[in-house]
Each structure stands twice: as C-alpha cells, then as structure tokens.
Amino acid sequence: ADQGNSVAELMYGRILYNGYGVPTNKPEASRYFKNAADKGSIVAMNNYGNMLNYGYGISINKKEAAKYYKMAADLGNCASMNNYGSILEEGTPSDQKEAAKYYKMSADKGNVFAMNHYGNMLEEGIGTNVDKKEAAKYYKMAADKGNVSAMSSYGKLLEELPDATDEIKEEAARYVKLAADKGSVNDKFNYGIMLEEGEGVHEDKLEAFKYYK
C-alpha cells in the first residue's frame, strides 16, 4: 500500500477502518481510501464518499462526498448511484430531477434502497412525473427483496387506489402484514384495521386486537 498499489491501499484501508488485527484508525483509513480512489478504485471512491458524507473519522464534507460518489456512480457503481442520488435529493440546493435519474439507474442495477427511493419519487411526483403504476413496480421490487419500508409503501399505495379490486386489496393486506410482522409499528396498526374491517382479509377482530396490542 505504501508503494502506491491501489488494491493494497483499498484493502489496508478496510483493515484500518474495521480494526481487523490492528487498532481501528478511521482517519488513517480515509487516507488510504482516498489514495486508492484517486488512482481509480471504484470501491474506494464509494468508501471515501461515505466517510466524507457521514463524518466517519474525518470532517463531514458533503460537496466532496458528492464528487467521489459521482465518480464511482459514473463508472457503474450501483451503491454510489444511490448515495449520489441521496445527496442530490437532500442537498442545498437540491436537484430532484437528477436525484431521480441516479436512483433509477441504481434501482435498475438491483439496489434495494434505490428501488424504494425511486418508487417514492414516482408516487409523489418528486423530480419526475407522478406515475403510481411505475411506483408500485419499484416498491414491489424492493419489498420482494426484503425492504420493510417498501413493503409498507406498496401496501399503502395499493390500499389507497380508488378502483382497487378485491384482488388488489388482498395484495395490499399481504404486504402490510409482511411489514407489520417485520416490526413496522404503523403497519401493525394498519393491519389491525384491515382485520377489524375485513379489508383484503377475512374479518377477525381477535387477530386485529393482537396487532393493535
């Protein structure tokens, strides 16, 4: 690493960051990640971006984090696309349209968090046109990969459709229950209502009380 090998710099940075066999040293890890990133290591770009974004061992610097995330994102790193989208969405000033673009890129490469973020933007019309059908598609993709927030959002979106069929209501109840059973407090309450009123499920007041409790 000290002779400039970018792979070794990345690996040594990980060792220092995680304290594998040596004392944890995040400031020093950041130096090695930056060296590797500046030599073209895509993983190191994302790692260094994370350290800058969240202040892991170094001062927070969102502008510099965005620079490294974008470098990695534009070289195809899925996680960095999502991370860069997040900085664009939350930044001052924000760029919602560009955020949506990077979330979609990341989602289409399989990033679960980006699927959920992009679904939300489509549902609310943030940075893109409102498209509830497409939002449902991305929410479901993330939900089926275990994302609890997406389970909740997908179920809620289906439940609120004005022309929801019995089949759609059943699908909504199934995903709300999944989120509830994974610990989502709001969804425990919502699924309780569904059980009490027989919305998408057989009416079962005793089971409803269990979820309310």
Side-chain angles (χ1 to χ4, degrees):
D2 289 339
Q3 293 179 0
N5 182 287
S6 63
V7 176
E9 287 171 331
L10 170 63
M11 298 308 294
Y12 190 56
R14 282 176 170 170
I15 288 168
L16 291 167
Y17 185 89
N18 293 294
Y20 294 146
V22 297
T24 300
N25 189 334
K26 291 185 179 178
E28 190 72 353
S30 74
R31 185 170 74 83
Y32 280 95
F33 284 149
K34 184 180 187 304
N35 287 344
D38 290 343
K39 290 184 176 73
S41 169
I42 297 173
V43 175
M45 291 172 193
N46 188 61
N47 290 351
Y48 186 53
N50 284 336
M51 297 190 84
L52 289 163
N53 193 21
Y54 299 107
Y56 295 151
I58 54 177
S59 299
I60 290 175
N61 187 331
K62 300 280 186 182
K63 185 176 180 181
E64 195 73 357
K67 170 187 159 184
Y68 279 89
Y69 282 151
K70 188 176 189 302
M71 285 164 59
D74 290 345
L75 290 169
N77 185 276
C78 182
S80 290
M81 291 171 188
N82 178 65
N83 293 336
Y84 184 55
S86 181
I87 280 193
L88 289 168
E89 183 183 12
E90 297 167 5
T92 308
S94 64
D95 188 338
Q96 306 291 357
K97 186 175 180 180
E98 194 74 354
K101 170 186 158 185
Y102 276 89
Y103 280 146
K104 184 180 188 305
M105 287 165 59
S106 181
D108 290 344
K109 280 181 168 285
N111 186 285
V112 176
F113 300 106
M115 291 171 191
N116 188 50
H117 286 142
Y118 187 55
N120 179 251
M121 297 189 98
L122 287 162
E123 183 181 8
E124 302 295 335
I126 301 169
T128 185
N129 295 327
V130 172
D131 189 334
K132 292 189 185 289
K133 184 177 179 181
E134 195 73 356
K137 170 187 155 184
Y138 279 92
Y139 280 149
K140 188 176 188 303
M141 285 164 59
D144 290 344
K145 288 179 178 290
N147 186 282
V148 178
S149 177
M151 292 171 191
S152 178
S153 296
Y154 181 56
K156 185 169 179 287
L157 188 154
L158 292 177
E159 185 186 4
E160 292 176 352
L161 289 174
D163 54 351
T165 62
D166 287 344
E167 186 179 357
I168 289 172
K169 289 177 182 178
E170 287 170 10
E171 175 100 333
R174 185 162 67 252
Y175 278 86
V176 170
K177 182 180 188 298
L178 282 171
D181 290 346
K182 284 186 174 289
S184 170
V185 174
N186 287 338
D187 288 291
K188 288 178 183 179
F189 179 74
N190 291 339
Y191 189 58
I193 293 173
M194 289 175 152
L195 286 163
E196 188 175 2
E197 297 180 354
E199 279 289 321
V201 290
H202 292 299
E203 183 180 313
D204 188 335
K205 294 190 186 302
L206 285 176
E207 190 72 359
F209 294 150
K210 171 185 152 187
Y211 277 90
Y212 287 148
K213 188 174 186 295

